[in-house]
Amino acid sequence: MGVRHAVVAGGGIGGLAAAVALSRRGWRVTVCERAPALTGIGAGIVLAPNALRALDSIGLGPEVWAGDALPGPVGLRTPDGTWLSRSDSGAMSTRYGLSTRAVHRGFLIDALAAALPPGVVRLGVSVAGVDDAGGAVVVRTSAGDLRADVVVAADGMRSVLRGQLFPRHSGLCHAGEAGWRAVLPGAGLPPQQATETWGRGERFGVVPLVDGRIYVYATTVTGPGAQPADHHAELTRRFGAWHDPIPELLDRLNRRNPDPVGILHHDFHELGSPLPRFHAGRVALLGDAAHAMTPNMGQGGCQAIEDAVVVAHLLARDTDVPAALAAYTKARHRRTTRISRRSRRIGELARLSHPLAASIRNLAVRATPRVVTLRALDTVLGWHPPSGPAPTPASVNVNVNINANVKEQP
């Protein structure tokens, strides 16, 4: 058998991670990315221990472990600064064996792209559809047809290939919120802690990145399509009286500053109901194309990286591509569905806007022991990538691998 060919639709984090994982397992890979350049949007991503382990399994551990872990206490606060829940980052690192890193998405995109052989990524090339002929797949692209042994559809939450493979699925639904994101320079600011502040139907998050910059985000309950005329003014109106350092961070977002910062604004969407499976024939769906979820657990990108590692592992083991992809669905569907539902429930709590409901929520969060909170994360953050001989399709189980010595961090 010659070298097998994989076409990856989409050059985001999940698609590039799949390309790296497949190429390092002997596949010839072509990544089709419709954008003219590989650029991470102006936002951060929190790489939890499960994602760090996955990246390490494909040789990218040193690249993403550089820099400091999230410093100090990590947790939830109220708008006046009162802590609702707090976890020491050192204790969490002891529990999980790895410390969470927060990096700019552009940094991670660059690290993944640099790990690929030259010529793998084709920019400005979009994928319009696939024809699965049984022994191979014909990929219809804007630059002509490609033949592949497998296609990895990592083309995002509005996936063209998902729509082709599952035309009767209900697709995306609005999650009831919209959000702002930005990355600020950290120079001149005191050291920041990773916190999320919950108000009534509003949230503000602060995440220090390993390069010294600060990732900030905010959310509010809204219907689809609402667009403030002035994002900075809207953020100041909603959050300007909240606890320090939020007012100072908002001041740095001011568009009249000499060094303006771009503010991203977007509605939250998710797949309201799970797909029946993550594959069809020789095509596998990955990341947001397979299980678009709300950002409330910070696991969307982490789960895409897990997907990439697992699908490459199973394809390397089994020359029967459809069987390997069936095993991929078995390995990933239940886990990602549970995480997606859990993320949705957290969002429902955070969106509570009635004063009494928000007060009861805050009391419940404050009364929950820290050890209970940590244990609840074990099944998410305790995941380990498959290693050694891949399991048979009948016994695939890569969801959790925890024993008394396993340590992680949320």
Side-chain angles (χ1 to χ4, degrees), residues 226-312:
Q227 276 287 344
D230 184 323
H231 291 300
H232 180 262
E234 182 70 8
L235 286 166
T236 301
R237 181 181 72 82
R238 291 181 178 276
F239 305 102
W242 287 23
H243 66 79
D244 291 334
I246 293 174
E248 186 172 2
L249 294 173
L250 289 174
D251 186 60
R252 291 203 170 200
L253 284 175
N254 193 328
R255 56 185 171 84
R256 291 181 291 274
N257 280 351
D259 185 20
V261 172
I263 302 174
L264 302 172
H265 180 264
H266 59 282
D267 288 335
F268 290 175
H269 291 88
E270 62 174 334
L271 288 180
S273 59
L275 294 172
R277 58 190 183 281
F278 292 165
H279 75 285
R282 290 176 171 266
V283 183
L285 295 165
L286 179 151
D288 282 347
H291 44 72
M293 63 183 69
T294 59
N296 301 302
M297 290 189 69
Q299 277 289 315
C302 296
Q303 290 306 302
I305 295 168
E306 285 188 16
D307 289 345
V309 168
V310 172
V311 75

Side-chain angles (χ1 to χ4, degrees), residues 122-200:
R122 299 188 183 182
L123 297 172
V125 177
S126 59
V127 173
V130 293
D131 294 325
D132 193 339
V137 187
V138 178
V139 186
R140 310 295 183 190
T141 83
S142 58
D145 292 351
L146 296 172
R147 288 183 64 84
D149 297 285
V150 70
V151 174
V152 176
D155 52 343
M157 68 169 59
R158 292 177 174 82
S159 170
V160 170
L161 296 184
R162 182 184 68 229
Q164 177 187 339
L165 299 175
F166 299 100
R168 293 186 175 87
H169 187 266
S170 57
L172 290 176
C173 63
H174 192 266
E177 287 182 282
W180 295 267
R181 292 181 289 174
V183 175
L184 307 172
L189 288 174
Q192 299 297 308
Q193 299 172 344
T195 61
E196 186 169 282
T197 301
W198 285 10
R200 299 203 300 265

Side-chain angles (χ1 to χ4, degrees), residues 15-248:
L16 292 176
V20 173
L22 286 165
S23 67
R24 294 192 173 182
R25 288 182 175 270
W27 284 73
R28 180 170 66 90
V29 182
T30 301
V31 177
C32 296
E33 168 53 47
R34 66 181 180 180
L38 291 178
T39 56
I41 60 173
I45 179 172
V46 176
L47 296 173
N50 53 313
L52 292 173
R53 293 190 196 95
L55 290 167
D56 188 46
S57 75
I58 57 175
L60 286 173
E63 285 83 352
V64 298
W65 290 351
D68 295 329
L70 290 179
V74 177
L76 296 175
R77 304 177 80 173
T78 61
D80 65 3
T82 302
W83 286 96
L84 292 175
S85 174
R86 181 162 37 175
S87 296
D88 180 78
S89 57
M92 291 189 289
S93 177
T94 299
R95 182 178 185 87
Y96 296 118
L98 289 171
S99 296
T100 294
R101 259 58 176 182
V103 302
H104 195 284
R105 284 178 176 266
F107 166 82
L108 184 56
I109 291 285
D110 289 346
L112 291 165
L116 290 169
V120 166
V121 179
R122 299 188 183 182
L123 297 172
V125 177
S126 59
V127 173
V130 293
D131 294 325
D132 193 339
V137 187
V138 178
V139 186
R140 310 295 183 190
T141 83
S142 58
D145 292 351
L146 296 172
R147 288 183 64 84
D149 297 285
V150 70
V151 174
V152 176
D155 52 343
M157 68 169 59
R158 292 177 174 82
S159 170
V160 170
L161 296 184
R162 182 184 68 229
Q164 177 187 339
L165 299 175
F166 299 100
R168 293 186 175 87
H169 187 266
S170 57
L172 290 176
C173 63
H174 192 266
E177 287 182 282
W180 295 267
R181 292 181 289 174
V183 175
L184 307 172
L189 288 174
Q192 299 297 308
Q193 299 172 344
T195 61
E196 186 169 282
T197 301
W198 285 10
R200 299 203 300 265
E202 298 173 329
R203 286 177 284 174
F204 197 99
V206 179
V207 182
L209 303 182
V210 297
D211 63 9
R213 290 182 288 177
I214 301 167
Y215 169 45
V216 297
Y217 60 91
T219 73
T220 186
V221 174
T222 185
Q227 276 287 344
D230 184 323
H231 291 300
H232 180 262
E234 182 70 8
L235 286 166
T236 301
R237 181 181 72 82
R238 291 181 178 276
F239 305 102
W242 287 23
H243 66 79
D244 291 334
I246 293 174
E248 186 172 2

